Amino acid sequence: MKTAVVTGAASGIGMGYALALVEQGYHVLVTDIDMVGAERVTAELNGIGPGTAEARYLDVADADAVATLVQQVKNEHGRLDMIFNNAGLAIGGPVHDLTLAHWQRAADVNVMGVVHGVDAAYKIMVEQGYGHIVNTASIAGLVPAAFMGPYNMSKHAVVGLTLSLRGEAAAHGVKVVCVCPIAVHTDLPRRLNDGLEKLPETEIAASLYDRFDSLFRALPEFVIASPEGHGRKVLRAVERNRAFVIEPWFGRPVWWLQRLFPTLPVTLSVAATLAWKAAQPYLDRVAQRLTRTDPPALAPTALGTAQPAGSPQTFPTEPADSSVSVE
């Protein structure tokens, strides 16, 4: 049985990757620091088939832990077919309000987390002569925007690493793909600057995502992709060895526009910053009015009516995991 490792797979995009892989018959390691979520997803996946899933705790910022887990897959199954370096954090805010801790956290998880996965898997894949490395970047890794400095920096690094490795890896039979989502349903916006100093701007953004959650979920798949739909599209693109996977469709025109007019994002950022400065006297008041409580913990859910193996499956929609992530 083919094997795959997915990081950050307890919810969102990583969960979608794991689902798509299990539908194609892979044995998938669902890894995350959220073991409750990882075990819930694993239980659901094992009820789908034809592949299988296994939950493992993994902090991608721990290089030794990543290397150990990836080597265990090779030792136990005799092969490593795919690794999806997907775990990441949303970190941002006005640069002058950020601390070094914000930048360090973005580097530790979003950059070094990917590096740790690449370092562990690539050496095994070169030795065996095949394999796929799929790195989740973001449209923010192609088109920068104001108030997202740490996130933009980290995702640009992932794009650079992935394209650099792609050319080198091809000579060894290893295929490397860069995924740049622009709008996918996930709980990432609710976790802006998670574990770090909160800012009025990020609290407002997270609260607005909560308030408009039902609207986002009502939008069609081609506007805001579901994790399940996104995962299936990415896996098809990976099997075709596409260098970039930019989904949904409108991400590509955004990228093309930026390539035609390289300074356009800067111009838009200037306008956004001027608007932010004008609204500055009101931000604290707005943040207080939009003060939200953290969403309740995800409760275990059962899958719906069983379907034949290989037929499309979706997970039940859950309030705490359904807001849109503008990547």
Side-chain angles (χ1 to χ4, degrees), residues 190-211:
R190 287 190 170 102
R191 298 177 180 174
L192 281 165
N193 294 355
D194 192 30
L196 297 164
E197 179 183 347
K198 299 295 184 180
L199 303 172
E201 293 82 2
T202 55
E203 288 296 280
I204 290 171
S207 297
L208 288 174
Y209 274 112
D210 281 342
R211 286 171 178 262

Side-chain angles (χ1 to χ4, degrees), residues 10-263:
S11 63
I13 291 175
M15 179 195 72
Y17 291 155
L19 169 64
L21 289 161
V22 167
E23 288 178 340
Q24 294 301 312
Y26 282 76
H27 177 73
V28 182
L29 262 68
V30 177
T31 74
D32 207 294
I33 59 173
D34 174 13
M35 273 303 291
V36 173
E39 289 173 348
R40 175 181 57 83
V41 169
T42 297
E44 292 173 334
L45 292 177
N46 282 327
I48 293 173
T52 57
E54 178 182 355
R56 294 281 189 92
Y57 176 87
L58 183 64
D59 180 356
V60 296
D62 185 341
D64 291 338
V66 175
T68 298
L69 181 138
V70 171
Q71 188 61 51
Q72 284 177 348
V73 175
K74 172 68 173 178
N75 294 343
E76 294 172 7
H77 301 274
R79 61 191 297 159
L80 175 64
D81 293 276
M82 291 193 183
I83 184 168
F84 286 73
N85 294 306
N86 169 75
L89 298 172
I91 299 175
V95 171
H96 67 272
D97 286 334
L98 301 178
T99 67
L100 288 177
H102 291 89
W103 298 93
Q104 190 64 56
R105 186 68 171 152
D108 288 345
V109 177
N110 293 3
V111 180
M112 294 310 299
V114 174
V115 171
H116 295 157
V118 167
D119 180 67
Y122 183 57
K123 293 171 182 176
I124 292 173
M125 291 177 177
V126 167
E127 181 181 354
Q128 66 188 15
Y130 63 88
H132 286 83
I133 295 174
V134 184
N135 294 333
T136 301
S138 165
I139 197 66
L142 301 172
V143 183
F147 308 117
M148 297 174 63
Y151 191 73
N152 289 333
M153 173 198 72
S154 63
K155 295 305 183 178
H156 273 74
V158 173
V159 171
L161 165 63
T162 307
L163 294 184
S164 174
L165 182 62
R166 180 179 172 87
E168 185 177 329
H172 300 286
V174 180
K175 299 173 182 178
V176 184
V177 177
C178 186
V179 182
C180 294
I182 186 170
V184 180
H185 288 292
T186 174
D187 60 355
L188 195 65
R190 287 190 170 102
R191 298 177 180 174
L192 281 165
N193 294 355
D194 192 30
L196 297 164
E197 179 183 347
K198 299 295 184 180
L199 303 172
E201 293 82 2
T202 55
E203 288 296 280
I204 290 171
S207 297
L208 288 174
Y209 274 112
D210 281 342
R211 286 171 178 262
F212 290 100
D213 173 74
S214 58
L215 172 61
F216 293 143
R217 286 189 284 121
L219 294 174
E221 183 82 14
F222 67 86
V223 177
I224 301 174
S226 67
E228 299 88 350
H230 179 72
R232 295 183 185 112
K233 285 185 177 181
V234 168
L235 188 56
R236 288 195 296 268
V238 168
E239 290 170 345
R240 294 196 298 269
N241 194 29
R242 284 174 51 186
F244 276 113
V245 185
I246 304 175
E247 292 289 347
W249 64 272
F250 58 89
R252 282 193 172 271
V254 170
W255 180 38
W256 294 336
L257 189 62
Q258 192 270 341
R259 295 171 73 185
L260 285 172
F261 305 99
T263 61

